[in-house]
């Protein structure tokens, strides 16, 4: 079973600061997804990365997939209070139909 | 397009009882997956159904079961509830062949 390690577990920053969240595995990812979950809601997909070295941008969020497809990072520039939430990485795909394997998550709090 | 709907949103049960949770996927989605989310274990995969057949199963005891109906709606059942079953149960639906999962808001189950 693929084990995904996310770091840090908690992140508390001031509005305007930058931050990076990491997701690592000892095995190669089929594909890697990042989700954001707000309190009382289900996770919402932010991005899927498939190709080693891939970089995707979503407004102030930048997602990178490692060349060896064993690690990924999420970088947020100039964080805002609305970015507060639980950020989860998940491995998807392969023959494990409908199964996502999630990391433990990073709880981000952005203070005004 | 309506999102994934889970009912009920909140549930309180006593140890030893059983519970049934319901999930209505997005129209046209035939894959439905269930997850358990707890502070200690994070998000863990329970099982996945496609066209009324269970295609994949996580590492949970047999007290956890599910089914899917011809209209793709799904139910999960937990029998002989234990205190440790207290969790947020999330349902996700996907379009055939897609790894993008759309999550419902979840059912918060508390076992007392």
């Amino acid at each position: 079973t693929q084990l995904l390690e996310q770091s840090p577990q908690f992140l508390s920053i001031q509005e305007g600061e930058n931050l990076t969240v990491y997701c690592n595995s000892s095995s190669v990812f089929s594909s890697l997804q990042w989700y954001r979950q707000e309190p009382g809601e289900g996770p919402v997909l932010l991005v899927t990365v498939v190709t080693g070295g891939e970089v995707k941008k979503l407004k102030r969020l930048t997602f990178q997939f490692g060349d060896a497809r064993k690690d990924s990072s999420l970088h947020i520039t100039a964080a805002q209070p609305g970015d507060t939430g639980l950020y989860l990485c998940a491995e998807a795909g392969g023959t494990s139909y409908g199964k996502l394997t999630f990391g433990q998550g990073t709880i981000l709090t952005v203070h005004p | 397009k309506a999102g994934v709907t889970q009912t009920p949103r909140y549930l309180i049960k006593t140890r030893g009882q059983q519970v049934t949770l319901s999930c209505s996927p997005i129209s046209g989605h035939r894959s439905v997956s269930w997850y358990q989310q707890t502070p200690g274990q994070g998000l863990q995969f329970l099982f996945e159904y496609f066209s009324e057949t269970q295609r994949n199963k996580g590492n949970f005891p047999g007290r956890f079961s599910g089914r899917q109906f011809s209209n793709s709606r799904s139910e999960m059942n937990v029998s002989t509830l234990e205190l440790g079953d207290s969790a947020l149960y999330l349902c996700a639906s996907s379009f055939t062949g897609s790894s993008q999962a759309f999550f419902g808001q979840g059912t918060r189950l508390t076992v007392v």
Side-chain angles (χ1 to χ4, degrees):
Chain A
T1 303
Q2 178 86 291
L3 290 177
L4 278 65
E5 293 184 8
Q6 270 189 255
S7 61
Q9 198 174 348
F10 301 95
L11 206 45
S12 180
I13 62 172
Q14 294 296 127
E15 183 176 0
E17 293 184 8
N18 301 332
L19 67 114
T20 303
V21 177
Y22 300 92
C23 178
N24 297 284
S25 171
S26 56
S27 305
V28 174
F29 291 116
S30 303
S31 65
L32 196 285
Q33 298 182 334
W34 284 94
Y35 288 82
R36 178 166 150 247
Q37 184 178 19
E38 297 184 31
E41 302 291 330
V44 175
L45 179 66
L46 297 172
V47 77
T48 300
V49 286
V50 179
T51 306
E54 188 173 3
V55 177
K56 285 192 174 180
K57 293 194 175 187
L58 185 65
K59 296 183 182 177
R60 293 174 295 99
L61 278 61
T62 301
F63 303 86
Q64 287 191 294
F65 202 18
D67 291 339
R69 291 166 54 214
K70 296 171 74 171
D71 60 276
S72 180
S73 64
L74 157 60
H75 182 80
I76 301 179
T77 304
Q80 300 176 358
D83 296 326
T84 293
L86 174 65
Y87 288 82
L88 296 153
C89 65
E91 191 200 17
T95 57
S96 297
Y97 299 110
K99 177 182 178 180
L100 296 171
T101 301
F102 285 89
Q104 284 292 87
T106 295
I107 298 175
L108 170 65
T109 305
V110 182
H111 301 278
Chain B
K1 205 176 202 181
V4 177
T5 304
Q6 290 188 245
T7 56
R9 287 293 309 277
Y10 302 93
L11 210 46
I12 300 176
K13 290 286 187 178
T14 305
R15 270 182 303 174
Q17 287 186 313
Q18 74 160 14
V19 67
T20 299
L21 312 182
S22 180
C23 172
S24 293
I26 291 172
S27 178
H29 287 192
R30 292 166 64 188
S31 170
V32 174
S33 299
W34 288 90
Y35 294 83
Q36 181 196 66
Q37 186 173 30
T38 59
Q41 298 298 317
L43 262 160
Q44 292 187 290
F45 173 77
L46 281 157
F47 29 65
E48 187 257 358
Y49 286 87
F50 181 85
S51 292
E52 303 178 65
T53 300
Q54 186 182 91
R55 287 199 301 189
N56 210 344
K57 189 178 189 303
N59 191 25
F60 279 82
R63 300 186 297 107
F64 292 82
S65 62
R67 59 177 176 169
Q68 187 180 33
F69 302 95
S70 58
N71 62 357
S72 294
R73 190 177 71 85
S74 178
E75 289 182 346
M76 70 162 279
N77 184 276
V78 188
S79 62
T80 320
L81 284 165
E82 300 176 0
L83 295 178
D85 297 333
S86 294
L88 179 67
Y89 289 89
L90 290 160
C91 162
S93 73
S94 302
F95 191 69
T96 305
S98 171
S99 64
Q100 182 172 0
F102 294 83
F103 283 84
Q105 291 180 298
T107 294
R108 172 74 62 185
L109 171 64
T110 302
V111 182
V112 297

